[in-house]
Amino acid sequence: WDYDPLNFAGHFDMLVQVDDVFKMEGLNAVITSEEFYINKDNFGRFSMEATAPNLKSQLNSFVTLRKDSTWMEVKAKYNLANLGDNSVLRRKIPLPRQKNYLDINAKFGGFPLSIAEYWLGGGMTETHGVFTADLQIKGLANQLDATGDIVARDGGFTLSALKTHYTFREGAIKMTPDLFDATGTVIYDKYGNSAVVEGGITHQHLRYMGLAARMRTRRFLGIDLAKGDNDLFYGRALGAG
């Protein structure tokens, strides 16, 4: 597993069946865990069913995760080898038929928004709220493109560098191959002032997250630093834009 933002752990039960051991055909596996951890957070019961005709075919899997009202369902296809005519040069093989190509449809319900901190490190803290999502993730395993829709509700977060805490009631986020676009979401500062977001969080194939957003507002809290929060300056600043 080579994806720094996420680390998985748990105690797993596994059942593996191979119809023909010598030809390695008819591959089936079922993996379950009653307590599945992502970055040391418990996300409940995990289940995965995976099948493949052989080691040179496409692996199909179905993954579920559930804890109370939090759930996830993932359908995935993964090419164990180049599919089709082996005489065709790799550069001429259509991308969806190349080895290591991944095609994922992921649905989420009642998931905690705090998982955003897995990718943003210490840049965002005190994140709360829940989201639902329907995402499509496709591409070679090391160069994935993601699209889909996310709806976040009753959320909030603190920008660590500025110590400003913002909240929102509902935000519709459009996921594109390089941006989590939250344009149109209304956020509130601790005084009840509002601002409309334009832009969102950038990414490069679901890695290297960054912020590319501005806010339209008449009055909004932009800095809320107490003495000692920053070596260079501190204070409270409200602005318009």
Side-chain angles (χ1 to χ4, degrees), residues 6 18 22 26 32 37 46 79 145 158 163 178 180 190 211 213-214 228 230:
L6 301 179
V18 181
F22 299 102
T32 59
Y37 292 85
F46 168 89
N79 295 345
D145 286 329
T158 296
K163 299 299 182 185
D178 59 3
F180 291 90
K190 69 180 186 179
L211 189 63
R214 63 174 182 166
N230 188 295

Side-chain angles (χ1 to χ4, degrees), residues 78-139:
Y78 178 74
N79 295 345
L80 299 171
N82 292 332
L83 305 181
D85 187 355
N86 291 330
S87 66
V88 177
L89 294 176
R90 180 180 174 86
R91 64 177 178 271
K92 294 184 178 180
I93 300 174
L95 185 62
R97 299 184 68 82
Q98 289 185 22
K99 181 180 179 180
N100 295 329
Y101 184 83
L102 189 60
D103 184 344
I104 296 174
N105 175 244
K107 298 180 185 293
F108 300 82
F111 239 71
L113 279 171
S114 57
I115 68 169
E117 296 181 14
Y118 297 164
W119 286 270
L120 297 173
M124 183 183 294
T125 60
E126 300 178 317
T127 308
H128 60 90
V130 296
F131 72 90
T132 59
D134 188 349
L135 307 178
Q136 292 75 48
I137 303 171
K138 299 181 180 182

